[in-house]
Amino acid sequence: MDTIELVPHIDTGALSARRPVTEFIENRTFDEMAIGDTASLMRTFTEADIQLFANVSGDVNPAHLDHAYADHSMFHGIIAHGMLGGSLFSTVLGTILPGPGTIYLGQDLRFKKPVKPGDVLTVTVTVREKDQEKKRVILDCRCINLDGKEVISGTAEVIAPVEKIRRERMPLPDVSVIQHGALTLLLRSASALPPLPTAVVHPCDRDSLSSALQAAATGFIDPVLIGPEARIRAVALAEGLDLTGIRIVDTAHARESAAVAARLARDGGVKALMKGSLHTDELMLEVMRKENNLRTKRRFSHAYVMLIASSGKLLLVSDGAIIIAPTLEDKVDIVQNAIDLAITLGIAVPKVALLSSVETVTAQIPSTLDAAALCKMADRGQIKGGILDGPLAFDNAISAVAALTKGIASMVAGSPDVLIVPSVEAGNMLAKQMIHSGSAEAAGIVLGGTVPIILTGRADDIQTRLASCAVAVLVANGPAPVRQA
């Protein structure tokens, strides 16, 4: 969001002077003001400003936020809330004229033209009347755009300060707008496809059961609940969840739930598996059994589909959950699984950063040797569909400035679509740091099998679980995997 920059323009009768913004704000008392005094500020509005105002006010009118709707409206695009423009008058009154100590009594505004992202507005207040007894001031308010056309007009009434006030200008807090563009597109793409028949394995707590039912209500999955029926129904009753029309397969315990789900996937009864309230290794043990025939020519690997708050884009991180200490051969499948997923999610030629602690090939650091080998394998066509570079330290992979500082010329550094980590610990810590410290959303999925496996953590919120289901829907509707011979 742009910082509001105040460039006051104060007129006193015929005398006009321009003054720069200082580190202080100072008022003009009732006695110091004269009829005709004016003050102005100029502001450029951005789409982030509109989104922030919508968040603060709760006004989510699609004219302000929904491009698909707004583009077909009479305004032919997103417009700002009327009161967002009107709020600039409050800024002038509270910080310039009269300034600190002003008590706002009323405002009468007429909105004459729409304001769109990129519009530059100049707002001006002019002293019209003064009430000596009550220390009240009425000011004319006018807002114009760069074309000189009036956008907003009206009047404001205030009680002006009678004592001189000069205070340090308080710094504004840094505010970030979390973009949900990639998440919205992901959910929208999945919702256009038929519900995915999904075995929900051991949904014996509130979060796993409610998220499965919400994914069903959203149309992402057609769930089959596999677990102790009495426990599932008890959770539903306690949480007020409706199981009407939902198929339940009764099992005795978590291990049996996983075994039944794996057999159901093997026989074609479901097209995806979704982890419930059991441990990941309990589920994967049954999935990986040879007799269940759920393996392909690839190794299983996990991918976080990170929805980055600051940019609204997708970033895949792999592997953070399945292969603890991957060999070079493991990494070939991890990379290829991630590339295929990125392509399925709409990234035509994914850029893959192979992470290590340094950006140079170093014999003492095996992950740098693996990265170099993987890049050469991609050059020779052993890894297909993406652009690889590595080894890259995390800062060089993410930041074009950091890469430039280190003298790294790369098609990947600074704008990767996929981050390949050297170990499960690194992947798990990186993803969770991005979620809990970087405000990222994250979907989790296991790739490399004949069916996608929706793998979420017990601490994941409903948005994360729905996004994971959406990813599974898209994967299941992609190219069919080649089964293991």
Side-chain angles (χ1 to χ4, degrees):
M1 177 180 177
D2 295 343
T3 300
I4 296 177
E5 183 181 6
L6 303 180
V7 184
H9 182 206
I10 306 296
D11 287 341
T12 304
L15 180 63
S16 177
R18 199 124 172 118
R19 74 183 184 193
V21 176
T22 68
E23 295 181 357
F24 295 88
I25 56 175
E26 183 176 341
N27 69 1
R28 304 191 70 201
T29 66
F30 181 87
D31 291 337
E32 290 176 326
M33 287 189 293
I35 304 299
D37 286 357
T38 69
S40 302
L41 70 81
M42 182 180 291
R43 172 69 184 269
T44 303
F45 278 108
T46 68
E47 188 166 352
D49 294 330
I50 298 170
Q51 293 166 346
L52 282 169
F53 191 86
N55 186 278
V56 171
S57 67
D59 183 351
V60 293
N61 183 329
H64 309 308
L65 302 174
D66 187 339
H67 281 275
Y69 171 88
D71 288 346
H72 293 88
S73 72
M74 62 183 291
F75 302 113
H76 304 292
I78 292 291
I79 61 171
H81 307 71
M83 290 308 299
L84 176 55
S87 68
L88 296 185
F89 295 117
S90 176
T91 303
V92 178
L93 296 170
T95 63
I96 310 173
L97 183 69
T102 298
I103 299 175
Y104 214 156
L105 294 178
Q107 183 86 58
D108 175 23
L109 296 177
R110 301 284 296 177
F111 301 94
K112 299 182 176 182
K113 290 189 177 297
V115 176
K116 294 187 175 184
D119 283 357
V120 180
L121 303 182
T122 299
V123 297
T124 302
V125 300
T126 303
V127 178
R128 182 208 289 181
E129 299 177 22
K130 294 178 65 179
D131 183 332
Q132 182 68 40
E133 181 180 353
K134 296 182 178 179
K135 306 304 181 187
R136 294 188 179 188
V137 178
I138 295 177
L139 303 99
D140 289 320
C141 300
R142 187 168 184 255
C143 173
I144 62 172
N145 59 25
L146 280 182
D147 296 327
K149 294 181 179 178
E150 197 166 68
V151 176
I152 309 171
S153 65
T155 59
E157 183 178 3
V158 303
I159 298 176
V162 294
E163 295 182 356
K164 196 67 177 174
I165 298 174
R166 186 172 187 266
R167 303 285 296 179
E168 247 185 79
R169 182 181 295 277
M170 298 302 294
L172 290 173
D174 291 329
V175 180
S176 297
V177 175
I178 298 177
Q179 303 284 349
H180 293 290
L183 177 60
T184 300
L185 182 60
L186 180 68
L187 298 179
R188 186 178 297 160
S189 299
S191 64
L193 296 168
L196 182 64
T198 302
V200 185
V201 187
H202 213 67
C204 295
D205 65 4
R206 178 196 64 190
D207 292 336
S208 59
L209 182 57
S210 63
S211 60
L213 296 178
Q214 187 158 344
T218 308
F220 291 155
I221 68 171
D222 179 11
V224 179
L225 309 182
I226 301 177
E229 184 169 358
R231 287 182 62 187
I232 293 173
R233 292 195 179 279
V235 172
L237 180 63
E239 300 298 331
L241 303 174
D242 186 5
L243 296 177
T244 302
I246 303 295
R247 180 184 169 192
I248 301 177
V249 178
D250 189 28
T251 61
H253 45 68
R255 184 172 178 180
E256 184 183 357
S257 299
V260 170
R263 291 196 296 269
L264 195 59
R266 175 196 65 192
D267 298 336
V270 295
K271 301 298 182 183
L273 302 175
M274 182 175 181
K275 176 179 172 288
S277 56
L278 76 172
H279 291 290
T280 299
D281 56 356
E282 291 179 293
L283 174 58
M284 294 305 300
L285 179 65
E286 297 299 327
V287 168
M288 296 176 71
R289 289 190 188 278
K290 188 174 182 179
E291 58 268 27
N292 284 327
N293 199 28
L294 296 179
R295 306 187 71 166
T296 68
K297 292 183 177 181
R298 303 255 188 91
R299 294 162 178 82
F300 287 101
S301 64
H302 177 269
Y304 284 106
V305 180
M306 312 298 297
L307 304 151
I308 305 303
S310 58
S311 66
K313 296 181 180 179
L314 295 178
L315 179 65
L316 277 59
V317 177
S318 188
D319 176 332
I322 299 296
I323 303 177
I324 296 174
T327 63
L328 176 61
E329 291 76 14
D330 294 331
K331 290 179 180 179
V332 172
D333 286 346
I334 290 171
V335 171
Q336 193 65 67
N337 284 342
I339 289 174
D340 291 350
L341 174 59
I343 292 172
T344 296
L345 297 179
I347 302 171
V349 184
K351 291 179 282 188
V352 182
L354 306 164
L355 298 185
S356 185
S357 57
V358 295
E359 66 279 355
T360 54
V361 179
T362 305
Q364 289 78 17
I365 306 177
S367 59
T368 67
L369 300 176
D370 288 349
L374 291 167
C375 289
K376 181 53 67 176
M377 294 172 80
D379 291 343
R380 298 288 172 84
Q382 292 172 265
I383 298 173
K384 303 179 185 299
I387 301 171
L388 276 63
D389 196 7
L392 291 169
F394 180 75
D395 57 342
N396 301 323
I398 291 294
S399 168
V401 174
L404 183 64
T405 301
K406 289 289 187 72
I408 299 172
S410 169
M411 296 179 65
V412 174
S415 60
D417 302 302
V418 179
L419 301 178
I420 300 297
V421 296
S423 68
V424 73
E425 297 100 327
N428 194 275
M429 286 187 284
L430 173 59
K432 289 180 178 176
Q433 185 275 332
M434 293 170 72
I435 295 167
H436 295 287
S437 298
S439 300
E441 301 276 358
I445 190 166
V446 175
L447 307 161
T450 60
V451 298
I453 302 170
I454 302 163
L455 196 65
T456 54
R458 281 167 286 182
D460 289 341
D461 60 20
I462 186 64
Q463 189 84 309
T464 294
R465 293 170 187 264
L466 286 177
S468 299
C469 291
V471 171
V473 170
L474 297 173
V475 170
N477 283 274
V482 179
R483 289 181 181 268
Q484 189 178 56

